[in-house]
Amino acid sequence: MSEYYLAENNEQTGPFTIEQLKKGEIAPETLVWKEGLADWTEARNVKELQDLFKTTPPPLPPSNTEKNTPTTKPKTKGVAEKLTEQKRKTVAAKEVKLSGKILIYSLLIGIASYPIFAFKGFKAISLKNQYEELRFSSSRQLEDVKRSIVDLIPEDEKWDSQGYFWSVDIPAGSISGSGTREWNYDRILYWYGRKITGAIGYSIGVMIAAFLILFIGRYLFLGGKKGVNWVSENSKEKA
């Protein structure tokens, strides 16, 4: 498809496709040039563009009331200005669409991170159900469940001097590595069961961080002078 350059107000603009020139309402006397033309030529003399200037009926004459009403001639936009405005709208629409995609991707990342943060919470609920069924028995299965409950606690917290997970407060230093301990299994299950709701906050944080990284990275690494930057710079040049 041919692309045309326009000469208007001693300025060269383009290239533009025929479809873009249709939307820009090019004038028949506008000088145009494309590859294959020896020199600038009026648009009406180019065969490909002659369909743009088909004769249309003149506007209806004004009524008597309108004749007596003073009017001011509206300022018309040049072809280049119309096409530039059209480009700005197209780029802005693409930016809105891209921002929507980034928001969706960020939401999916946040949702995907939730099971990671809530893993111990789901495990605590499963163990709680097993513990409730076996707590008054003396089976080996109960001992395995208790061991799994204690394993929810990270190793560096199992000998916490405050003894939060112990049934009885024991002074710091009174328990050795090989001493006996009585764990408060209900308290452990309650504490780690809350991670199901606490994980929501972490997932929201991940979603916000992902959105900022994707949105800012779009301009730092992929955008260059495209998108909103292009619109801003072209607006300044036209002003």
Side-chain angles (χ1 to χ4, degrees):
M1 181 180 290
S2 300
E3 292 186 327
Y4 290 84
Y5 291 86
L6 307 183
E8 191 175 46
N9 299 326
N10 295 325
E11 291 185 2
Q12 175 182 313
T13 57
F16 304 110
T17 64
I18 294 179
E19 293 300 322
Q20 290 175 320
L21 293 178
K22 288 180 180 179
K23 297 178 181 179
E25 299 179 4
I26 183 174
E29 62 273 11
T30 301
L31 295 178
V32 300
W33 180 89
K34 72 166 185 173
E35 187 175 354
L37 292 178
D39 201 354
W40 292 91
T41 306
E42 289 188 354
R44 60 185 153 199
N45 296 328
V46 179
K47 187 176 180 180
E48 292 181 349
L49 303 180
Q50 289 177 355
D51 289 341
L52 303 180
F53 313 119
K54 291 183 179 179
T55 305
T56 56
L60 295 173
S63 62
N64 293 333
T65 304
E66 292 176 342
K67 288 181 180 179
N68 298 328
T69 304
T71 58
T72 57
K73 187 178 181 180
K75 182 181 179 181
T76 58
K77 296 182 179 179
V79 176
E81 185 178 355
K82 290 181 179 179
L83 293 173
T84 302
E85 182 179 353
Q86 179 186 346
K87 282 186 176 180
R88 283 201 297 266
K89 291 180 179 179
T90 301
V91 172
K94 289 181 178 179
E95 288 298 316
V96 172
K97 185 176 180 180
L98 178 61
S99 298
K101 287 184 177 180
I102 290 177
L103 181 60
I104 293 174
Y105 294 151
S106 303
L107 181 61
L108 292 176
I109 292 173
I111 293 174
S113 69
Y114 176 76
I116 298 175
F117 294 116
F119 173 74
K120 282 193 174 182
F122 289 119
K123 189 174 181 180
I125 290 179
S126 176
L127 290 172
K128 181 179 181 180
N129 294 332
Q130 299 177 46
Y131 181 66
E132 292 294 338
E133 293 178 2
L134 303 169
R135 69 187 304 166
F136 298 112
S137 67
S138 57
S139 63
R140 177 167 180 168
Q141 189 176 1
L142 175 61
E143 295 302 320
D144 292 338
V145 172
K146 288 181 177 180
R147 195 176 301 110
S148 298
I149 294 174
V150 175
D151 287 341
L152 291 172
I153 310 172
E155 287 295 330
D156 58 344
E157 296 181 12
K158 286 185 179 180
W159 292 97
D160 187 356
S161 60
Q162 296 178 1
Y164 178 78
F165 295 123
W166 296 335
S167 293
V168 181
D169 292 335
I170 302 176
S174 63
I175 299 297
S176 63
S178 60
T180 59
R181 294 171 297 173
E182 182 64 30
W183 294 103
N184 189 326
Y185 300 105
D186 291 312
R187 182 177 290 179
I188 297 173
L189 292 171
Y190 168 75
W191 178 264
Y192 286 98
R194 295 192 310 171
K195 288 186 176 294
I196 290 180
T197 55
I200 296 176
Y202 289 110
S203 297
I204 293 175
V206 170
M207 182 184 68
I208 295 174
F211 179 82
L212 293 176
I213 291 173
L214 292 174
F215 191 81
I216 296 174
R218 153 80 177 98
Y219 294 99
L220 291 180
F221 303 109
L222 301 177
K225 290 188 176 181
K226 298 179 181 179
V228 175
N229 292 336
W230 185 92
V231 174
S232 177
E233 290 180 6
N234 280 271
S235 299
K236 292 179 181 178
E237 290 177 1
K238 289 298 177 183

